[in-house]
Amino acid sequence: MSLRSTAKRWTYLLHRWLGIGGCLLMLLWFVSGMVMLFIGYPKLTPGERLAALPVLDGARALQGLSVLPDAVQAEPESVALTTLRGEPAYVVRNGANVGAWSAETGHALLRVSAQRAELSAAAFAAGPVFPGAVRVDEDRWTHSRGLDAHRPLYKVEVGGHQPGSLYVSSRTGEVVLDAPYHQQRWNYVGAWLHWLYFLRMQSVDPVWTWVVIVLSALCTVAAISGIVVGVWRWRFRGSYRSGAKTPYVEPWMRWHHLVGLMACAFVFTWIFSGLMSMNPLQVFSTTAGAVDAARYRGATVALDTAVAQPQALLAAASKEGFAPVEIQWRRIGGELFAVLLDGQGGTRIVSQEDEQLQIAKTLPTAWLQQHAQEMSSAPLRGFSILRTPDAYFYPRAPEAMSGAAVRRFPVAVADFGDAHATRVYFDLATGDPLLTLGHRERVGRWLFYFLHSWDLPGMLRQENTRLGVLLLLSVAGAGLCATGVVIGYRRLRMKVRRRRH
């Protein structure tokens, strides 16, 4: 047997047996993927969180930031004044640690109990709460690494216009996840099934990670071999004895061949991009830290100024007709300023100049550019203002996997001249670095997000057309896999019968 014949035979065998093993899995991926176009994995978006908060009361006696313990003031990652359990409180995050202190007394809030979790859930849901909050470390809806600082969580069942489960932080008493019942039900045939979460035991689960990577890789090989076999079997010139271009007369085989040739490119790109979503071997992660957030924040600052006093900030906001539900403090280049947020996600920046509070909607561009340079030892090659989405920075609908990411415009774009050609997108409304990309992350954006979601800004603007095309192609992919399941079942049944005889 020639080398060519041997290669053909092994290609046929590879496609046959990988197809038998993988077609059912790929069918589940396509069906669950169609559900995910409309129903996403449970998450709490910034808009949902802010909409549930009451307006901060400037008439209450609120202590300034200096009331916080010295150890907390030393190097906080973020500080926010919000409402917890019906009272104003400071929430301070530092790395993996998060805690809450009363804004009226400065004392650490009492440990969150099941009863206090139920009170927080009732305030968030504005509806009835069913008693019996359950303490959970992690379950099927709480695999996100972003919840690690709040574990264990309290799961509280709520009623009202949107009944479901709310997950409350045991560290602060904040509601950190919203999982309505209708979303949970759809997720069993959607994201939970699509991501094989029934195999995932914890937020960091190497076994689950490698199971998904290996299965995705095998299905990718099955798709590639199917393309090769399908092209080999198609008569581009002439026809078979039946007069058809395909050799298959049996309906299931015939449709598998025809649908496979029509949908093979999409099936391959979706299976392959699903593999890329797992970032195997961290191939889409920049190996060296090109930017330093600590350098960007700068040295610690004194907390006895007016900008550190919430009552002064609320009074200034009232004069502007702005009603904040939360105040967040930022430090950039060793300068302290406050970000006020209202229930609709609107923002105001309050800074201090010559002992006077100044309110603005965005940070000064030149000032932000100066401090952006401090983020890296590499030269700043470019700094521009982006007012509309580009191929890397764009908003997504809440049901999308990245639907909770803040994507506000205008946004500042800084390009550094390091080996990774690092680009950082800065939120002009807060100064936060919202997205950092190097060479590898850019490649990952195209090999995963684009191939899997067709999420170019131009495509997202035509959302109904995009969804219609994705649904049509998903149906074709599901049809291809369904015919493969039938063919595989028949092949295995025939094998079993032969062995019995």
Side-chain angles (χ1 to χ4, degrees):
M1 184 180 290
S2 67
L3 180 61
R4 181 179 179 181
S5 298
T6 302
K8 273 196 168 186
R9 171 175 169 76
W10 279 104
T11 303
Y12 281 116
L13 290 174
L14 189 67
H15 180 63
R16 174 187 299 171
W17 294 108
L18 284 181
I20 289 174
C23 265
L24 180 59
L25 177 59
M26 288 190 280
L27 175 62
L28 295 179
W29 277 337
F30 276 108
V31 172
S32 58
M34 287 188 276
V35 174
M36 290 176 67
L37 290 174
F38 305 96
I39 304 291
Y41 190 69
K43 63 176 73 70
L44 183 66
T45 65
E48 291 173 325
R49 187 183 69 83
L50 291 172
L53 292 174
V55 175
L56 292 171
D57 186 1
R60 301 185 70 160
L62 302 177
Q63 302 291 328
L65 294 181
S66 58
V67 75
L68 294 172
D70 293 340
V72 173
Q73 297 181 34
E75 190 65 24
E77 185 177 315
S78 66
V79 180
L81 174 65
T82 187
T83 302
L84 296 179
R85 315 169 206 172
E87 65 174 287
Y90 288 111
V91 175
V92 183
R93 177 187 291 272
N94 191 354
N97 299 314
V98 62
W101 285 262
S102 170
E104 294 180 310
T105 65
H107 297 153
L109 293 183
L110 294 176
R111 184 178 181 85
V112 178
S113 62
Q115 291 74 24
R116 291 191 176 93
E118 290 169 5
L119 290 175
S120 294
F124 180 93
V129 169
F130 301 104
V134 179
R135 184 166 170 163
V136 297
D137 188 67
E138 188 169 347
D139 64 10
R140 61 179 63 88
W141 311 126
T142 56
H143 290 310
S144 170
R145 296 294 306 277
L147 300 175
D148 287 353
H150 299 281
R151 301 186 199 277
L153 307 170
Y154 283 101
K155 181 180 179 181
V156 184
E157 308 301 329
V158 299
H161 72 283
Q162 195 175 49
S165 304
L166 295 180
Y167 291 83
V168 179
S169 168
S170 65
R171 305 290 182 86
T172 64
E174 299 171 274
V175 173
V176 293
L177 183 67
D178 176 20
Y181 290 142
H182 80 275
Q183 190 177 34
Q184 294 183 37
R185 288 191 289 268
W186 278 108
N187 258 262
Y188 283 115
V189 290
W192 184 76
L193 178 63
H194 193 79
W195 294 333
L196 305 183
Y197 269 4
F198 50 87
L199 300 175
R200 190 172 184 177
M201 298 295 106
Q202 54 194 13
S203 59
V204 180
D205 191 340
V207 174
W208 168 80
T209 299
W210 280 103
V211 166
V212 176
I213 289 174
V214 170
L215 290 176
S216 301
L218 291 175
C219 289
T220 300
V221 174
I224 294 172
S225 60
I227 295 173
V228 174
V229 170
V231 171
W232 279 346
R233 299 295 283 165
W234 184 258
R235 284 284 172 87
F236 290 94
R237 295 180 181 178
S239 58
Y240 289 94
R241 289 183 181 181
S242 63
K245 295 287 187 179
T246 175
Y248 304 109
V249 178
E250 198 275 329
W252 289 106
M253 291 291 294
R254 184 184 183 89
W255 279 110
H256 187 71
H257 191 201
L258 294 175
V259 175
L261 286 176
M262 289 187 292
C264 61
F266 307 109
V267 171
F268 164 69
T269 55
W270 280 334
I271 300 299
F272 173 73
S273 57
L275 168 62
M276 295 299 99
S277 73
M278 299 302 295
N279 192 11
L281 301 176
Q282 302 297 302
V283 293
F284 302 132
S285 300
T286 301
T287 55
V291 293
D292 187 344
R295 290 178 55 180
Y296 176 63
R297 291 197 300 267
T300 56
V301 295
L303 300 181
D304 55 358
T305 57
V307 78
Q309 305 299 321
Q311 285 187 305
L313 297 174
L314 292 174
S318 179
K319 293 179 182 178
E320 296 285 326
F322 191 77
V325 299
E326 187 170 275
I327 302 175
Q328 301 175 358
W329 281 268
R330 299 289 193 279
R331 192 179 80 249
I332 298 178
E335 297 183 39
L336 183 71
F337 62 93
V339 178
L340 281 58
L341 300 97
D342 67 12
Q344 290 74 47
T347 60
R348 293 292 186 275
I349 293 172
V350 183
S351 58
Q352 186 169 346
E353 293 182 14
D354 300 327
E355 299 185 357
Q356 296 293 321
L357 294 180
Q358 306 291 330
I359 298 182
K361 290 188 177 182
T362 59
L363 292 169
T365 302
W367 180 87
L368 186 60
Q369 178 177 356
Q370 174 189 348
H371 293 296
Q373 172 63 78
E374 300 168 0
M375 197 175 215
S376 173
S377 56
L380 187 63
R381 297 295 189 190
F383 191 88
S384 59
I385 303 300
L386 184 68
R387 301 189 181 278
T388 57
D390 67 6
Y392 299 100
F393 189 89
Y394 49 93
R396 290 299 310 273
E399 62 268 12
M401 188 173 70
S402 57
V406 176
R407 294 293 182 263
R408 196 164 21 221
F409 295 91
V411 63
V413 184
D415 289 298
F416 294 95
D418 57 85
H420 304 288
T422 302
R423 170 177 289 184
V424 182
Y425 292 82
F426 293 93
D427 187 355
L428 284 175
T430 63
D432 294 338
L434 297 179
L435 180 65
T436 302
L437 298 167
H439 284 313
R440 294 187 180 186
E441 288 83 4
R442 289 184 179 89
V443 173
R445 182 266 180 275
W446 294 107
L447 294 186
F448 167 41
Y449 288 102
F450 172 66
L451 291 181
H452 215 64
S453 304
W454 292 16
D455 58 354
L456 286 178
M459 295 177 172
L460 294 173
R461 284 194 292 270
Q462 304 296 326
E463 184 66 1
N464 291 334
T465 302
R466 169 182 165 272
L467 288 175
V469 173
L470 288 176
L471 275 175
L472 182 62
L473 294 175
S474 295
V475 169
L480 172 65
C481 296
T483 58
V485 169
V486 174
I487 294 167
Y489 169 74
R490 289 182 170 183
R491 170 71 63 174
L492 291 176
R493 186 177 61 178
M494 181 179 66
K495 287 282 187 183
V496 170
R497 285 180 176 177
R498 285 180 178 175
R499 287 190 176 183
R500 286 179 179 175
H501 287 304

